[in-house]
Structures are given as C-alpha cells and as structure tokens.
Amino acid sequence: MRMIVFIRQVTDPENTIITGADRKCINDDHTNWIINPFDEYALEEAFCIREAYGGKITVVGAGPPRISSVLRTALAMGADEGILVLDDTLAPWDSVSRAQALAACIQPADFDLVFIGQRSIDGEIESVGQRLAHYLKVPCLSHAVAAEIVPDRRTVRIHRRIDGQEMVVESVWPAVVSVEKGLKEVRSFSISGLNKARQKRIEEKMRGDLDAESAAVAKRNQHIRLRELSRIFDQRKLRKIAGDTPEEQAAELFRVLRDQEKIL
Amino acid sequence: MLVVAIIRPGRSNSINAEAVALGRKLSRDFGLTLTVLAIGYHIEKEAADLALYGPEDIFVADRPVFEHFNEEHYCRAVLAFSRKNRPGMILLGGSVSGNALAARLAAVLEAPLIQNGVAFSVENDCLLVDKHLYSGRICARFAFPEVFPRIATVRPRSMAARPRGEHRTGKIVNVDIDMDTASAQTTVAAAGKHVAASFDLAEAEKIVAGGRGLKGPENFKMIEALAEAINGKVGASRFAVDAGWRSQTEQIGQTGKTVSPALYVACGISGAAQHLAGIHSARVIVAINTDPLAPIFKMADYGVVGDLFEIVPALTREIKSGRTA
C-alpha cells in the first residue's frame, strides 16, 4: 500500500498564546511546536495498515523550514520518507491554501491512500481533507475513528460517528481519509527509531515551483480574510461554595444554581 | 440565503432552529430571500416542528437515500436543489453532520468556508464572522472574499433560536430532487441503530463530567445519577477515556468535544489545558475537587472544595427533593 500522511505542526496548547503587534498573526517567538494530535492519529492508522499489509508511508508537511522537525519525528516513529513543501504563506486558519499546497505535490497515481487529521488544533480547520480530495478528484472519507482495507476490492472502510451515531462508510482507493481520535494508541519513537530517521530522506520542494506545474491550483480565490485576532480572556470570577459539611455545600450549590443562575 | 437543515428523526431540532434564526437575520441585513431546505428520511414530524420557528416555508427532501447521513449524497441534494436559484450564502448548524456537509459543499463548489462561527455581524455591507481558535484562547474575526456562495456553520448553542409559535408556521413543501446516486463514490456499508437515542455532547445543554478523581469506572454511576437528576448528559475527561472507563464519545477537550452548555459540572477533573479548551464556552462552570489548587478552579464560576464522593450524591439528593418540594 502506498500511503501518504499529511502532518501539520501546531503550537503546544500548554503555551500562552499571544497575538503579534498587528493582531493579524500569532507571536510565535517562544513557541513550543508539536505534531497536530489528529495528524498523529492519522499516522497511526497508516502504520497499522502497513503492519498488516505492507507498503510505504510518505509523510508530507507544508510550511516554513521548522516543519521538518515534525517530519523527522514521524520518520522516527516509522514513516519511510518525507516531503517538505516550503511555503511561508500558510496561515493556520486557511484550509484552501493547505489543501492546494498538498495537491500541488502529489498525484492520484502516486498513492493509494492519503491520511490527514480531521482537524488542526490551532486554526481549528476541518475541511482540508474534502478540499484536497476534490482537487485530486478522489473520494473523501472523513471523521474516521478507525480505518481498514479490503485489498481484493481495492476498498477502504472507515468507522465513523456522526452526531453520535456509528456508521461504516467505504470507497475504492485512491482516496483521502481524514482521521478522528479513535481507540488506537499513538506510538512513540525509540532511540533506534531516531537513528534510523537520520538515514531517511526528506525531499524539499518550493511551493512556487510546484504551483506552476500543477493543474490542481484552483482559479477561484476562496481564501477567507483575517481581519483581526484577539485574545479571549476568561472573565470568570470564582465564587467558593461555603459549607462545613458536604450536605451544606450541596444545598448551597443547588440554591445558587436554581435561584441565582436559574439553571436548575 | 439557503439554510440547510439536516434532520435526524427523533432528535432535537434546536441546532437547525438556531441556523434558521441566523439565516433570517442575515437575509434581512443583506436583502436576500431566505430558503430553508430540510434533508432526511421519514422527517415529516421534525420538518413540521422546524416550520413552527417560521414563518419561512420549509422545503423538504425526504428520501430513503438520506436515511444514513452521507455528505456526498446530501451535497448532491443541495446542489440539485439550488441549481435554479443559486444561493449567495449557505448556512448550516455546526453539528458533526452539518460541518461534514459544509466541508463537502465548500470543496465541491470551491467556495470560502468558515465553520463553527460564534458571532456574525455586518460592517459596511461586509459579513464578518468570529471564530475561536487555539483551543478557545484566540478569537479571530474573518471576512468573506467576494466569491459566492459563501458557506458557514454556526456553533451549537451560540445563536438564540426564535421561540416556536403555533400561529407563525410556514408551509411544508416536498421537493423532488433529481439525484444521481449511481455514481456515488462513497457508500454507507453499515449504520448503528437508535439514531434518536444517540446524541452529540456538543449540543447538550447541561453536562456532568467525571475525571481521574472518580478513581474507577464503577463510580461514574454517581455522575450518571446527577446528570439524570438535572436532565443533562455525562461527559468525561481524557484521563477517564484513555483509562477505558468511558467511551470516546464522551470525551471533552481538545481531542474530544468542544461543548457550550448552560451548565458544566466538573467532578474530580484537575483542569489540564486540553480539557479547559473544550469547556471555555460553557455559561456556568462548577468544579468539585479536593485540591483547592487544581487548575480547574481558574476557569470555574463556582468551586466546591471537598470530597466528590460525598458532595455529588448529596447534590443529587438535594436536586431530587428540591424538585418534589
């Protein structure tokens, strides 16, 4: 199986997030960067299929040069090779650019499955998978909590939960699968994995060169425009519920919720 | 302006009513006609209910092919319906299905998309949408480019729906959608039963959640009892889910659900950043924890420092007796 996994680098949620002076970007001077957790789930699905059926996993990232660190991590976890599309213009909230960047460097003839995380925890975008599938003219299976393949039918099946209802959806490959958190544990990497990763290749491509060759670049300008970013300061003021015994505390809490907040 | 209502039989319509209310407001602001398209199977009752939030007419596409949600089919239905009157804007409720369909529509139409908008405003004829990023730490304000249609979903419980009015009802208009299903690329191979019983925590009005402090799965009975007493749903922290105590469907947090209930009661949850990311939009947060320094208290409106094994059952008793009193 030839599998591609799209890996995004995001700010560590434990960081304090500050906007840049112009309020149109995030100040990332002191940011810890991590792999987007949903892309880790996507990678894990690819690993499981490779373990069962064999094949090759290529991880692809798009962005500034620092993206290579998450690609190296993915290689240490067991991916075979990487592609880094150098592009300084990708904003975390722009699903169109991301999908175009990836579509510009791969062809349906190159892969059986593309895996991508269902959403990114920084820009909170969830539509890259569908847009990518459209540009590549392949089906998209989204919200997958588990994926499996049926090789003799060239079929990929996913388990998904939509509005709480469980479903199984399938399509033939090549296809794009976007992955939600499921039951599989994300694997970590070992020292030997890190050492092996150093031997593996990350090919660099310039976005500008790719667009000129690729017909997948959409002609319509669909990008949403950022006006302003502002920090959300949580305005809550904690009120301690008084009481010497659990019963007293419970009674006081009930009274507050019923009479003051009018929730109960 | 087209509002697409995905109707799941037996389930609450509130998210669709919220989208219709927003659609009505934006239609007025921009001088557009509002059309509502409801899609599903055996949805007569729910479509009639949606009409009570009127006065819009509800166009209903009710066919067996829509029984199990598949964004490919639902997308084709929307495209077929809007072939003659191309909408300038398509709005949906931000349920899981709504977001899935919106993503598909945006991809196929090569249209700009903003999902999970929490506020929609108009400035100089320009539609601005606010959305929360970075796990609820940043509010981003976006404008759409001059490209149509524009597609947006509204986060559950962030818009007020108009009250239902028996006298204000619109008509139900069944539409016959000319759909080519034979060329579909994705097929639903199996679907769980009990659509009506299943629900999405993101749409819940009241949630009681348990975490590591519960010490084991059997103690979640206490959480379930409290949830039932307040007519709410049960949620869980990542710890409880990863430990196998509760199902992934109940996980609240960055890699679980983002919820925006009126009331969120966190029991034995320390309040890691990834959990707080999922609850910051709750109207009232109550934290019950033995540790007065637990980070959850930084984001709570009310804090109860104490033993949840005593407090939670006492609260349940208080509520039950309060109701009968």
Side-chain angles (χ1 to χ4, degrees):
Chain A
M1 290 293 293
R2 299 163 304 163
M3 294 177 284
I4 294 178
V5 185
F6 194 23
I7 307 276
R8 280 163 291 195
Q9 189 183 51
V10 296
T11 51
D12 187 337
E14 299 290 330
N15 286 174
T16 310
I17 311 284
I18 321 170
T19 56
D22 61 356
R23 290 158 75 86
K24 294 219 182 209
C25 64
I26 297 297
N27 180 331
D28 57 22
D29 289 344
H30 304 289
T31 300
N32 287 331
W33 300 101
I34 61 169
I35 297 187
N36 181 35
F38 290 92
D39 298 336
E40 282 182 306
Y41 306 137
L43 193 52
E44 189 57 38
E45 292 295 332
F47 285 142
C48 288
I49 290 180
R50 188 182 63 181
E51 264 154 29
Y53 299 96
K56 184 164 121 176
I57 296 174
T58 306
V59 288
V60 181
R66 57 172 161 76
I67 303 280
S68 60
S69 71
V70 289
L71 295 181
R72 285 267 160 240
T73 304
L75 294 176
M77 287 160 76
D80 298 297
E81 62 182 17
I83 299 177
L84 169 52
V85 179
L86 287 164
D87 184 341
D88 254 324
T89 68
L90 298 180
W93 44 79
D94 187 341
S95 63
V96 177
S97 297
R98 287 195 178 261
Q100 288 177 346
L102 187 59
C105 75
I106 64 177
Q107 308 280 345
D110 300 336
F111 65 87
D112 299 314
L113 294 172
V114 173
F115 287 99
I116 179 172
Q118 177 63 34
R119 61 183 192 270
S120 56
I121 64 171
D122 51 3
E124 312 264 0
I125 49 179
E126 309 184 31
S127 53
V128 179
Q130 283 284 4
R131 291 199 191 272
L132 175 63
H134 171 71
Y135 294 143
L136 296 173
K137 300 184 178 29
V138 301
C140 180
L141 298 173
S142 68
H143 299 83
V145 296
E148 57 207 30
I149 62 171
V150 185
D152 34 321
R153 286 198 288 130
R154 288 181 61 88
T155 292
V156 55
R157 311 177 89 211
I158 64 154
H159 296 253
R160 65 183 342 200
R161 232 175 263 112
I162 299 289
D163 301 338
Q165 185 195 19
E166 313 223 332
M167 310 177 90
V168 178
V169 186
E170 57 182 43
S171 78
V172 295
W173 67 66
V176 172
V177 178
S178 68
V179 180
E180 269 280 7
K181 182 179 183 200
L183 296 172
K184 297 186 176 78
E185 244 184 72
V186 169
R187 63 193 61 193
S188 47
F189 53 88
S190 57
I191 302 290
S192 72
L194 262 174
N195 288 331
K196 286 197 198 124
R198 294 202 188 96
Q199 324 279 340
K200 297 175 186 172
R201 199 170 138 247
I202 295 183
E203 185 189 346
E204 285 185 6
K205 303 190 184 212
M206 298 296 299
R207 175 77 191 276
D209 300 337
L210 290 174
D211 282 352
E213 302 157 14
S214 160
V217 176
K219 296 174 187 61
R220 278 156 59 91
N221 172 13
Q222 318 143 47
H223 309 268
I224 55 177
R225 298 207 185 110
L226 176 71
R227 280 291 185 91
E228 187 184 52
L229 296 170
S230 49
R231 276 181 84 178
I232 296 174
F233 289 98
D234 208 69
Q235 306 290 354
R236 297 174 209 265
K237 249 184 80 174
L238 177 71
R239 280 151 285 188
K240 277 245 178 88
I241 297 290
D244 292 322
T245 65
E247 285 73 22
E248 280 177 24
Q249 288 174 307
E252 176 62 10
L253 179 59
F254 173 57
R255 193 195 59 76
V256 160
L257 292 177
R258 184 191 57 191
D259 301 334
Q260 286 179 18
E261 297 291 350
K262 308 213 191 301
I263 282 179
L264 294 182
Chain B
M1 166 76 63
L2 172 65
V3 174
V4 177
I6 297 170
I7 303 216
R8 323 302 309 278
R11 296 253 311 243
S12 155
N13 242 340
S14 30
I15 192 165
N16 290 321
E18 289 160 21
V20 170
L22 176 63
R24 184 180 309 114
K25 175 189 172 311
L26 294 179
S27 301
R28 281 208 209 106
D29 293 337
F30 288 99
L32 301 171
T33 341
L34 173 61
T35 309
V36 181
L37 171 67
I39 309 178
Y41 183 50
H42 280 332
I43 55 172
E44 308 81 11
K45 227 169 39 129
E46 289 79 9
D49 176 75
L50 193 59
L52 293 177
Y53 293 91
E56 291 77 23
D57 295 338
I58 311 286
F59 292 87
V60 180
D62 187 334
R63 294 175 56 162
V65 69
F66 301 132
E67 184 183 3
H68 302 302
F69 176 78
N70 177 337
E71 58 268 49
E72 194 184 356
H73 293 315
Y74 277 57
C75 177
R76 283 174 191 221
V78 174
L79 295 180
F81 177 77
S82 40
R83 205 163 282 145
K84 294 216 190 91
N85 294 314
R86 292 173 183 276
M89 175 139 199
I90 304 177
L91 205 52
L92 301 98
S95 56
V96 177
S97 55
N99 278 318
L101 177 54
R104 174 88 187 164
L105 281 165
V108 166
L109 292 169
E110 296 191 357
L113 167 70
I114 299 175
Q115 289 170 297
N116 302 311
V118 300
F120 292 70
S121 53
V122 183
E123 189 191 87
N124 296 334
D125 269 350
C126 199
L127 173 60
L128 300 177
V129 185
D130 290 353
K131 181 180 162 161
H132 291 172
L133 308 182
Y134 292 89
S135 310
R137 253 89 61 78
I138 296 285
C139 183
R141 176 158 290 187
F142 295 107
F144 278 102
E146 285 297 307
V147 170
F148 303 93
R150 294 137 169 212
I151 305 180
T153 69
V154 52
R155 200 181 66 187
R157 305 179 47 79
S158 53
M159 297 286 139
R162 204 175 178 183
R164 290 158 87 243
E166 309 291 330
H167 58 283
R168 215 194 302 119
T169 178
K171 285 198 316 291
I172 307 291
V173 182
N174 285 303
V175 292
D176 201 9
I177 299 227
D178 185 18
M179 258 183 60
D180 165 28
T181 50
S183 63
Q185 292 181 306
T186 59
T187 346
V188 176
K193 322 172 264 295
H194 312 306
V195 176
S198 60
F199 63 88
D200 193 305
L201 268 184
E203 300 174 43
E205 200 205 344
K206 286 175 267 196
I207 298 174
V208 183
R212 186 197 289 244
L214 281 164
K215 301 194 177 130
E218 62 283 358
N219 297 323
F220 263 85
K221 285 204 180 45
M222 211 169 27
I223 304 294
E224 286 165 5
L226 177 56
E228 197 195 1
I230 64 172
N231 207 14
K233 302 289 187 197
V234 174
S237 71
R238 180 173 180 159
F239 180 90
V241 171
D242 286 349
W245 299 349
R246 301 301 291 193
S247 123
Q248 173 64 33
T249 54
E250 293 170 329
Q251 184 181 328
I252 292 171
Q254 198 159 64
T255 50
K257 297 281 175 192
T258 299
V259 297
S260 43
L263 173 63
Y264 186 79
V265 184
C267 309
I269 294 178
S270 61
Q274 58 81 19
H275 186 81
L276 300 184
I279 68 173
H280 71 276
S281 306
R283 180 159 81 74
V284 174
I285 296 178
V286 176
I288 304 174
N289 201 300
T290 48
D291 177 9
L293 298 175
I296 187 93
F297 288 119
K298 293 209 193 85
M299 199 182 260
D301 297 284
Y302 298 99
V304 189
V305 180
D307 183 358
L308 65 94
F309 286 90
E310 311 250 13
I311 296 170
V312 172
L315 183 59
T316 307
R317 282 191 299 269
E318 224 15 82
I319 292 166
K320 286 193 167 150
S321 65
R323 264 199 273 142
T324 54

